Amino acid sequence: MTISQSRQRIAIIGGGIFGVSSAVHLARLGAHVTLVTEGAFSSEASGRSLAWLNSARFRSAEYHRLRVIGIDRYRTLASRNEGASWLRFEGGLTWDADDPANQIAEAFAHERSIGYDCLLLEPGDVAKVTPGINATAISPQGAIFNPGEGWVDLPSLIDILVRELRALGGQVITQAGKATVDIKGGRATGVSCANGMSIESDAVLVATGAAVPAMAKQAGHVIADGTPVGLLVKSKPFKYAVRAVLNTPNVALRPTPDGAIVCDSAWSEEELNRSSDGTYEVKQDTLRRLLSEASNVLEGNPTLELESYHCGPKPVPGDGESVIGALDGIPGYFVAFSHSGATLGLITGELIAREIANGEMSPLLERFRPARFAQATEALAS
Ligand SMILES: Cc1cc2nc3c(=O)[nH]c(=O)nc-3n(C[C@H](O)[C@H](O)[C@H](O)COP(=O)(O)OP(=O)(O)OC[C@H]3O[C@@H](n4cnc5c(N)ncnc54)[C@H](O)[C@@H]3O)c2cc1C
């Protein structure tokens, strides 16, 4: 499929996985692409993501379908990059706390009913399917192992995609400062950057992560925002056997390409304080306890030393589902904003590129259109 008429000029704002993936897919379709970002690539959520590739547990059928297709694209990528240290499919293991809210049996029944590959395991049987786990940390209700899940190191993937974009003739502008969308005569006509640069284009994709709702609002559109602050902690490299992504009551973790682990959790995010200068204060005790929770779920309870931590906004749409597509009433203005941007990184870029370049509206995105916030947008205008 090729781009219609003369070569279209597309400007994309955002150097995370959505911006970069969309830029590459557009360039593959033959568009003249300019990718602009405020700082360096992977400077925001994509640089501090657990990046578990999954569609585990409960969600709408449409969201599940999109995520499973998203995982499929990563599987293709993995088959073309055999042995890559930055993309692994060695399963996911999850269990709940031993309390009345434990949902493992329901989650397993649900996943089985929709054909999502899963095994319900007694704690003592986990070692038969995946190594490196402390079985005594698993609650008596057992754990679900999802053999088809994996993880990706997004900064590595972004570097690879940017190289391809450049090779295809795409223009890449980093350290541009904050960019805004130019709207003239009611349509998106390009991008203006804080560094004084302007880019004229036939269409603009805003893939600015947590900044998408505020930018859409400047254009008079509401996109419901539920963005919290996220914290990702990285250990120093150590000897471990764990291969799967773990999602447990007090910590989620995965291996990294350089022999460490990264981890996050809901409780540690709640302990972050935002300072008046916009930075986040992370207590040493939070970091210490998160690494201790990680050690607790690993075989042999290794001593984990802190290498680094990163925190900042974790893009989450207000209704929890992705927002992908055109802003109604502003021809040429597109957005991409999601909570599961690692899992959806490749498929979102592919589908939005076809829509921007060729006007091909994928039914896979029907549920995720920005137009679902039309009522709030009308209220904003009145
Ligand atoms: C702790 C954590 C754990 C996560 N775990 C998972 C997981 O397990 N599985 C999963 O699928 N997803 C996960 N996610 C979500 C996933 O990482 C994000 O959805 C995804 O990285 C978002 O990518 P993005 O390109 O939309 O945004 P970002 O990566 O935030 O990129 C936005 C880019 O836009 C730039 N930008 C912003 N405003 C402007 C402007 N005005 N002008 C120019 N540039 C601008 C930024 O500098 C940045 O480069 C997690 C996220 C976090 C933080």
Side-chain angles (χ1 to χ4, degrees):
M1 185 164 319
T2 50
I3 206 158
S4 56
Q5 301 147 7
S6 58
R7 223 172 154 215
Q8 284 189 56
R9 300 159 308 161
I10 316 291
I12 295 155
I13 313 177
I17 187 59
F18 274 5
V20 172
S21 168
S22 306
V24 170
H25 282 94
L26 278 157
R28 287 180 190 165
L29 289 174
H32 180 80
V33 173
T34 306
L35 175 61
V36 178
T37 196
E38 185 176 5
F41 287 110
S42 303
S43 60
E44 292 292 329
S46 300
R48 46 182 154 76
S49 177
L50 192 73
W52 169 33
L53 306 175
N54 82 95
S55 188
R57 303 217 179 194
F58 310 97
R59 54 183 48 81
S60 70
E62 294 89 342
Y63 200 15
H64 175 69
R65 180 174 61 173
L66 189 63
R67 290 170 72 128
V68 168
I69 296 170
I71 295 169
D72 171 71
R73 295 302 188 272
Y74 277 104
R75 284 211 165 271
T76 304
L77 187 68
S79 73
R80 290 179 184 155
N81 291 272
E82 217 179 306
S85 61
W86 47 269
L87 176 60
R88 307 297 306 166
F89 277 101
E90 303 201 56
L93 184 77
T94 184
W95 69 87
D96 285 350
D98 180 16
D99 63 27
N102 187 299
Q103 281 196 314
I104 282 299
E106 292 94 317
F108 175 67
H110 171 69
E111 290 180 8
R112 270 264 278 249
S113 73
I114 58 171
Y116 190 68
D117 202 3
C118 56
L119 295 168
L120 181 57
L121 301 166
E122 303 269 335
D125 289 336
V126 165
K128 293 179 191 158
V129 297
T130 189
I133 317 294
N134 173 18
T136 65
I138 301 173
S139 39
Q141 295 84 348
I144 299 173
F145 183 66
N146 300 108
E149 295 179 351
W151 58 267
V152 61
D153 182 66
L154 284 176
S156 301
L157 172 60
I158 285 172
D159 283 351
I160 290 165
L161 293 175
V162 168
R163 257 182 269 141
E164 181 182 343
L165 176 62
R166 288 196 162 108
L168 290 168
Q171 202 187 345
V172 172
I173 303 166
T174 56
Q175 311 296 343
K178 289 216 184 297
T180 51
V181 181
D182 299 329
I183 299 177
K184 289 184 194 134
R187 60 170 303 129
T189 56
V191 168
S192 296
C193 308
N195 69 359
M197 188 177 269
S198 327
I199 300 137
E200 281 185 21
S201 65
D202 302 305
V204 178
L205 171 65
V206 173
T208 52
V212 169
M215 291 181 73
K217 198 169 178 191
Q218 281 169 5
H221 278 253
V222 172
I223 292 177
D225 191 12
T227 296
V229 180
L231 168 70
L232 192 79
V233 173
K234 187 175 182 198
S235 74
K236 289 189 175 158
F238 66 103
K239 213 168 152 42
Y240 58 73
V242 68
R243 317 291 296 174
V245 181
L246 305 190
N247 193 355
T248 81
N250 294 329
V251 67
L253 67 84
R254 66 158 166 91
T256 68
D258 57 352
I261 56 141
V262 284
C263 53
D264 71 359
S265 72
W267 66 263
S268 51
E269 288 174 0
E270 281 162 20
E271 294 189 359
L272 301 171
N273 291 324
R274 193 179 172 138
S275 314
S276 50
D277 64 358
T279 58
Y280 297 92
E281 189 204 327
V282 186
K283 296 187 200 103
Q284 286 304 312
D285 183 55
T286 304
L287 300 170
R288 189 188 52 72
R289 281 194 292 130
L290 191 56
L291 287 174
S292 161
E293 293 290 357
S295 166
N296 183 45
V297 297
L298 295 177
E299 187 177 41
N301 302 136
T303 302
L304 301 186
E305 291 178 70
L306 177 70
E307 179 168 296
S308 59
Y309 65 89
H310 297 280
C311 60
K314 175 151 97 177
V316 180
D319 60 4
E321 295 209 344
S322 304
V323 186
I324 306 165
L327 290 189
D328 280 352
I330 313 179
Y333 195 131
F334 297 83
V335 296
F337 175 49
S338 177
H339 175 206
S340 45
T343 305
L344 298 180
L346 298 176
I347 188 64
T348 299
E350 179 183 325
L351 298 179
I352 196 78
R354 285 201 213 128
E355 185 172 331
I356 297 172
N358 300 326
E360 194 183 322
M361 307 278 283
S362 171
L364 290 171
L365 296 183
E366 206 174 302
R367 184 184 170 95
F368 306 107
R369 301 287 174 198
R372 70 182 186 270
F373 305 112
Q375 259 191 346
T377 294
E378 277 164 31
L380 183 73
S382 60

